[in-house]
Amino acid sequence: MKHSTTPQTRRGHRGGPARRIGRTLALVLPVVLVLSGTLAVTRVNWTGSPSSSVLAASDVSAAAPAKKVTRAPQDVLRDQLMTELQSKNPGVVLTHLQQAVNGRPALARHCSSIARALGQAAVRIYGASRAQSYARPVCDTAFASGVLAAHS
């Protein structure tokens, strides 16, 4: 006769917590797998018309509306200042550029390119000599170099 110090259940099996967890997983896991597989299956479009097709659960991201493309802050600022240059003099626009850079220091590395573009646009709008009269030391005189580049 076999003697054991571990208590046994009615059927003679050990009933520890690991065994109970294993049994629970053995029962629940197939149900979960079947349900998740069922949800991921697509219906076949027998009509052939693309308008009545049904997407699989894995294709949901393709059906989502396209995300709005976000533009870089420096591009947004450049476009705003270029638009403002159409109605205001370059001195006002350069002040707004300096205020934007002071408010968001991350824009400082783009300040020169924005000021240069503003200088080139100012030459097209005001002419070289009048555009040059608005030059000031915003972003290391990049506005003046933009005026010079557009004038040459």
Side-chain angles (χ1 to χ4, degrees):
M1 180 170 217
K2 184 177 179 185
H3 295 285
S4 173
T5 58
T6 307
Q8 295 181 348
T9 62
R10 279 188 263 167
R11 293 185 179 180
H13 297 283
R14 294 180 187 147
R19 182 95 174 160
R20 279 180 285 179
I21 291 172
R23 284 184 183 174
T24 303
L25 283 176
L27 292 172
V28 173
L29 193 58
V31 173
V32 170
L33 290 174
V34 168
L35 287 176
S36 64
T38 302
L39 294 173
V41 175
T42 63
R43 287 194 327 213
V44 176
N45 179 10
W46 296 103
T47 63
S49 67
S51 62
S52 63
S53 65
V54 178
L55 296 174
S58 61
D59 291 338
V60 170
S61 62
K67 291 184 180 179
K68 192 173 188 176
V69 177
T70 56
R71 296 176 50 214
Q74 67 270 14
D75 295 336
V76 173
L77 178 62
R78 178 182 292 117
D79 291 347
Q80 287 174 347
L81 294 174
M82 287 292 199
T83 302
E84 188 177 3
L85 187 62
Q86 302 297 321
S87 61
K88 296 182 180 166
N89 72 48
V92 173
V93 177
L94 287 172
T95 299
H96 291 160
L97 172 61
Q98 188 65 52
Q99 289 170 345
V101 171
N102 290 344
R104 293 183 69 183
L107 292 171
R109 62 185 212 175
H110 303 286
C111 186
S112 294
S113 66
I114 294 171
R116 194 172 300 111
L118 289 171
Q120 292 170 350
V123 168
R124 288 191 298 272
I125 296 170
Y126 296 100
S129 62
R130 186 164 175 215
Q132 183 62 38
S133 70
Y134 291 104
R136 62 176 125 157
V138 175
C139 308
D140 297 327
T141 65
F143 179 83
S145 67
V147 169
L148 182 63
H151 181 62
S152 300

